[in-house]
Amino acid sequence: MPRLIVGLGNPGETYRDTRHNIGFMVLDEIARRLGTAFREEKRWTGLVAKFTGGHLLKPLTFMNDSGRSVQSVGHFYKTTPMQTLVVYDDVDLPLGRMRFRNSGSPGGHNGIRSLVAAFGTQDFPRLKVGIAPADGRPAGERMVGHVLGKFSAEEQPALQAVIKRAADAVLSAVERGLDSAMNLFNRQPES
């Protein structure tokens, strides 16, 4: 059962509604449903919210250094990498799709690369939430512009739907276990 739920993103108003911050958006929805609120914990450089059985974390270290905050919180609460579920954006999945994985390489995602370095392993569960444009994976400067760009008005319905579905998936993993959530949400077609 996951005990630490991490949403990856970048702090500050500049990045607030960007594609790279979909992990933060999902955690905000989870906190709203659970009736809990984030508070800043300077010692961990993050925003933390408590729920029955665990904690939510939004690192404020910027994406490329997320591992530092996650490692500090995990160490304090004695949470192993396998008890840490990370929610983040995936530019290889179309907007509206998501996928649980138990482990894997960073695949070019600097936030995941930072976590792998901090944990010393690639073996930690994650929920990848798609942000790919309709015309496929961007490259080079277009990639940076895409992930740091804001969702368009046309993308809003798919964005809102996937945030709700991702929150459902995370809460299912917390309540029923990761394997059960993977079986349900990795097979369930997106609406």
Side-chain angles (χ1 to χ4, degrees), residues 5-9 18-30 38 57-58 63 86-89 127 129 131 163:
I5 312 301
V6 177
L8 296 186
T18 63
R19 291 179 185 91
H20 223 17
N21 275 31
I22 203 163
F24 279 11
M25 295 174 200
V26 171
L27 259 65
D28 287 340
E29 173 66 12
I30 294 168
F38 286 97
L57 169 65
K58 297 192 300 186
M63 186 68 76
V86 182
V87 182
Y88 67 101
D89 61 290
L127 179 62
V129 182
I131 62 162
I163 287 172

Short mmCIF file of all heavy atoms in Angstrom, two decimals, residues 5-9 18-30 38 57-58 63 86-89 127 129 131 163:
data_model
loop_
_atom_site.label_atom_id
_atom_site.label_comp_id
_atom_site.label_asym_id
_atom_site.label_seq_id
_atom_site.Cartn_x
_atom_site.Cartn_y
_atom_site.Cartn_z
N ILE A 5 2.38 9.70 -1.25
CA ILE A 5 1.93 10.00 -2.62
C ILE A 5 2.60 11.30 -3.03
O ILE A 5 2.41 12.34 -2.37
CB ILE A 5 0.40 10.16 -2.71
CG1 ILE A 5 -0.33 9.01 -2.01
CG2 ILE A 5 -0.02 10.31 -4.17
CD1 ILE A 5 -0.03 7.64 -2.53
N VAL A 6 3.38 11.26 -4.08
CA VAL A 6 4.14 12.41 -4.55
C VAL A 6 3.60 12.86 -5.90
O VAL A 6 3.43 12.05 -6.81
CB VAL A 6 5.64 12.06 -4.70
CG1 VAL A 6 6.43 13.24 -5.25
CG2 VAL A 6 6.21 11.56 -3.38
N GLY A 7 3.33 14.13 -6.03
CA GLY A 7 2.98 14.72 -7.32
C GLY A 7 4.13 15.59 -7.76
O GLY A 7 4.59 16.45 -6.99
N LEU A 8 4.63 15.38 -8.96
CA LEU A 8 5.76 16.18 -9.45
C LEU A 8 5.27 17.42 -10.18
O LEU A 8 4.25 17.39 -10.87
CB LEU A 8 6.66 15.35 -10.36
CG LEU A 8 7.36 14.16 -9.71
CD1 LEU A 8 8.33 13.53 -10.71
CD2 LEU A 8 8.07 14.56 -8.44
N GLY A 9 6.03 18.48 -10.04
CA GLY A 9 5.73 19.74 -10.70
C GLY A 9 6.77 20.77 -10.34
O GLY A 9 7.77 20.47 -9.68
N THR A 18 0.85 24.56 -16.03
CA THR A 18 1.58 23.98 -17.15
C THR A 18 1.42 22.46 -17.18
O THR A 18 1.07 21.84 -16.18
CB THR A 18 3.08 24.33 -17.07
OG1 THR A 18 3.64 23.76 -15.89
CG2 THR A 18 3.30 25.84 -17.08
N ARG A 19 1.71 21.90 -18.33
CA ARG A 19 1.59 20.44 -18.50
C ARG A 19 2.52 19.68 -17.55
O ARG A 19 2.18 18.62 -17.06
CB ARG A 19 1.90 20.06 -19.95
CG ARG A 19 0.84 20.55 -20.92
CD ARG A 19 1.21 20.17 -22.37
NE ARG A 19 0.25 20.74 -23.27
CZ ARG A 19 0.38 21.94 -23.83
NH1 ARG A 19 1.46 22.68 -23.59
NH2 ARG A 19 -0.56 22.40 -24.64
N HIS A 20 3.71 20.25 -17.29
CA HIS A 20 4.68 19.60 -16.41
C HIS A 20 4.16 19.50 -14.98
O HIS A 20 4.70 18.75 -14.17
CB HIS A 20 5.98 20.41 -16.44
CG HIS A 20 7.23 19.60 -16.53
ND1 HIS A 20 7.29 18.28 -16.93
CD2 HIS A 20 8.53 19.95 -16.28
CE1 HIS A 20 8.53 17.85 -16.91
NE2 HIS A 20 9.30 18.84 -16.52
N ASN A 21 3.11 20.26 -14.64
CA ASN A 21 2.58 20.29 -13.28
C ASN A 21 1.35 19.43 -13.09
O ASN A 21 0.65 19.57 -12.09
CB ASN A 21 2.29 21.74 -12.86
CG ASN A 21 3.51 22.42 -12.32
OD1 ASN A 21 4.61 22.12 -12.72
ND2 ASN A 21 3.32 23.34 -11.40
N ILE A 22 1.08 18.52 -14.00
CA ILE A 22 -0.12 17.69 -13.86
C ILE A 22 -0.07 16.84 -12.59
O ILE A 22 -1.10 16.55 -11.99
CB ILE A 22 -0.38 16.86 -15.13
CG1 ILE A 22 -1.86 16.48 -15.20
CG2 ILE A 22 0.55 15.67 -15.22
CD1 ILE A 22 -2.32 16.02 -16.57
N GLY A 23 1.13 16.49 -12.12
CA GLY A 23 1.26 15.76 -10.85
C GLY A 23 0.73 16.58 -9.69
O GLY A 23 0.04 16.06 -8.81
N PHE A 24 1.04 17.88 -9.66
CA PHE A 24 0.50 18.77 -8.64
C PHE A 24 -1.01 18.84 -8.73
O PHE A 24 -1.72 18.84 -7.73
CB PHE A 24 1.07 20.18 -8.80
CG PHE A 24 2.45 20.41 -8.24
CD1 PHE A 24 3.26 19.38 -7.81
CD2 PHE A 24 2.94 21.70 -8.16
CE1 PHE A 24 4.53 19.63 -7.30
CE2 PHE A 24 4.21 21.96 -7.66
CZ PHE A 24 5.00 20.94 -7.23
N MET A 25 -1.53 18.93 -9.96
CA MET A 25 -2.97 19.05 -10.17
C MET A 25 -3.71 17.84 -9.63
O MET A 25 -4.77 17.96 -9.00
CB MET A 25 -3.28 19.24 -11.65
CG MET A 25 -2.75 20.51 -12.26
SD MET A 25 -3.02 20.52 -14.06
CE MET A 25 -1.82 21.75 -14.57
N VAL A 26 -3.16 16.65 -9.87
CA VAL A 26 -3.78 15.42 -9.38
C VAL A 26 -3.77 15.40 -7.85
O VAL A 26 -4.77 15.05 -7.22
CB VAL A 26 -3.09 14.17 -9.97
CG1 VAL A 26 -3.59 12.89 -9.31
CG2 VAL A 26 -3.30 14.10 -11.49
N LEU A 27 -2.64 15.79 -7.23
CA LEU A 27 -2.60 15.81 -5.77
C LEU A 27 -3.55 16.83 -5.17
O LEU A 27 -4.14 16.59 -4.12
CB LEU A 27 -1.17 16.03 -5.27
CG LEU A 27 -0.50 14.72 -4.83
CD1 LEU A 27 -0.31 13.76 -5.96
CD2 LEU A 27 0.75 14.97 -4.06
N ASP A 28 -3.74 17.96 -5.86
CA ASP A 28 -4.72 18.94 -5.37
C ASP A 28 -6.13 18.33 -5.36
O ASP A 28 -6.89 18.54 -4.41
CB ASP A 28 -4.71 20.20 -6.24
CG ASP A 28 -3.47 21.06 -6.01
OD1 ASP A 28 -2.82 20.91 -4.95
OD2 ASP A 28 -3.15 21.88 -6.90
N GLU A 29 -6.45 17.56 -6.38
CA GLU A 29 -7.76 16.90 -6.44
C GLU A 29 -7.89 15.85 -5.33
O GLU A 29 -8.93 15.73 -4.69
CB GLU A 29 -7.98 16.26 -7.81
CG GLU A 29 -9.23 15.42 -7.94
CD GLU A 29 -10.54 16.19 -7.82
OE1 GLU A 29 -10.54 17.44 -7.85
OE2 GLU A 29 -11.58 15.53 -7.69
N ILE A 30 -6.84 15.10 -5.08
CA ILE A 30 -6.86 14.09 -4.01
C ILE A 30 -7.05 14.77 -2.66
O ILE A 30 -7.87 14.34 -1.84
CB ILE A 30 -5.58 13.24 -4.03
CG1 ILE A 30 -5.54 12.39 -5.31
CG2 ILE A 30 -5.48 12.36 -2.79
CD1 ILE A 30 -4.20 11.74 -5.58
N PHE A 38 -2.66 21.25 2.20
CA PHE A 38 -1.19 21.26 2.16
C PHE A 38 -0.67 22.39 3.04
O PHE A 38 -1.27 23.46 3.12
CB PHE A 38 -0.70 21.48 0.72
CG PHE A 38 -0.87 20.28 -0.15
CD1 PHE A 38 -1.97 20.17 -0.98
CD2 PHE A 38 0.07 19.27 -0.14
CE1 PHE A 38 -2.13 19.05 -1.79
CE2 PHE A 38 -0.08 18.15 -0.94
CZ PHE A 38 -1.19 18.04 -1.77
N LEU A 57 2.70 14.74 -0.97
CA LEU A 57 3.84 15.64 -1.07
C LEU A 57 3.91 16.27 -2.44
O LEU A 57 3.87 15.57 -3.46
CB LEU A 57 5.14 14.89 -0.78
CG LEU A 57 6.44 15.64 -1.10
CD1 LEU A 57 6.61 16.86 -0.19
CD2 LEU A 57 7.64 14.71 -0.99
N LYS A 58 4.03 17.60 -2.45
CA LYS A 58 4.36 18.35 -3.67
C LYS A 58 5.72 19.01 -3.43
O LYS A 58 5.80 20.00 -2.70
CB LYS A 58 3.29 19.40 -3.98
CG LYS A 58 1.92 18.80 -4.25
CD LYS A 58 0.92 19.79 -4.84
CE LYS A 58 0.63 20.97 -4.00
NZ LYS A 58 -0.46 21.83 -4.54
N MET A 63 11.42 20.62 -10.58
CA MET A 63 11.34 19.25 -11.11
C MET A 63 12.68 18.52 -11.06
O MET A 63 12.75 17.38 -10.60
CB MET A 63 10.83 19.31 -12.55
CG MET A 63 10.58 17.97 -13.17
SD MET A 63 9.19 17.09 -12.44
CE MET A 63 7.81 17.96 -13.15
N VAL A 86 4.47 7.86 -7.19
CA VAL A 86 4.79 9.14 -7.82
C VAL A 86 3.86 9.38 -9.01
O VAL A 86 3.74 8.52 -9.89
CB VAL A 86 6.26 9.17 -8.28
CG1 VAL A 86 6.61 10.52 -8.90
CG2 VAL A 86 7.19 8.84 -7.12
N VAL A 87 3.23 10.54 -9.05
CA VAL A 87 2.33 10.93 -10.13
C VAL A 87 3.02 12.03 -10.93
O VAL A 87 3.45 13.04 -10.36
CB VAL A 87 0.98 11.46 -9.58
CG1 VAL A 87 0.04 11.81 -10.73
CG2 VAL A 87 0.35 10.46 -8.63
N TYR A 88 3.15 11.82 -12.25
CA TYR A 88 3.87 12.80 -13.06
C TYR A 88 3.41 12.75 -14.51
O TYR A 88 2.71 11.84 -14.94
CB TYR A 88 5.38 12.57 -12.97
CG TYR A 88 5.86 11.28 -13.59
CD1 TYR A 88 6.46 11.28 -14.85
CD2 TYR A 88 5.75 10.08 -12.92
CE1 TYR A 88 6.92 10.11 -15.42
CE2 TYR A 88 6.20 8.89 -13.48
CZ TYR A 88 6.78 8.92 -14.73
OH TYR A 88 7.24 7.75 -15.29
N ASP A 89 3.83 13.76 -15.25
CA ASP A 89 3.47 13.90 -16.66
C ASP A 89 4.31 12.97 -17.54
O ASP A 89 5.47 12.71 -17.25
CB ASP A 89 3.69 15.35 -17.11
CG ASP A 89 5.13 15.79 -16.97
OD1 ASP A 89 5.61 15.95 -15.82
OD2 ASP A 89 5.81 15.99 -18.00
N LEU A 127 2.51 6.65 -11.43
CA LEU A 127 1.34 6.81 -12.29
C LEU A 127 1.69 7.89 -13.29
O LEU A 127 1.85 9.06 -12.93
CB LEU A 127 0.10 7.19 -11.49
CG LEU A 127 -1.17 7.41 -12.32
CD1 LEU A 127 -1.59 6.14 -13.06
CD2 LEU A 127 -2.30 7.90 -11.43
N VAL A 129 0.81 10.25 -16.34
CA VAL A 129 -0.38 10.89 -16.88
C VAL A 129 0.01 11.57 -18.19
O VAL A 129 0.92 12.41 -18.22
CB VAL A 129 -0.96 11.92 -15.88
CG1 VAL A 129 -2.23 12.53 -16.44
CG2 VAL A 129 -1.23 11.25 -14.53
N ILE A 131 0.47 13.74 -21.52
CA ILE A 131 0.37 15.14 -21.93
C ILE A 131 0.78 15.33 -23.39
O ILE A 131 0.97 16.45 -23.84
CB ILE A 131 1.22 16.07 -21.03
CG1 ILE A 131 2.71 15.72 -21.12
CG2 ILE A 131 0.72 16.04 -19.59
CD1 ILE A 131 3.64 16.79 -20.63
N ILE A 163 -7.53 14.20 -14.67
CA ILE A 163 -7.19 14.53 -13.28
C ILE A 163 -8.11 13.75 -12.34
O ILE A 163 -7.66 13.15 -11.36
CB ILE A 163 -7.29 16.05 -13.04
CG1 ILE A 163 -6.12 16.76 -13.71
CG2 ILE A 163 -7.32 16.36 -11.53
CD1 ILE A 163 -6.23 18.28 -13.70
#
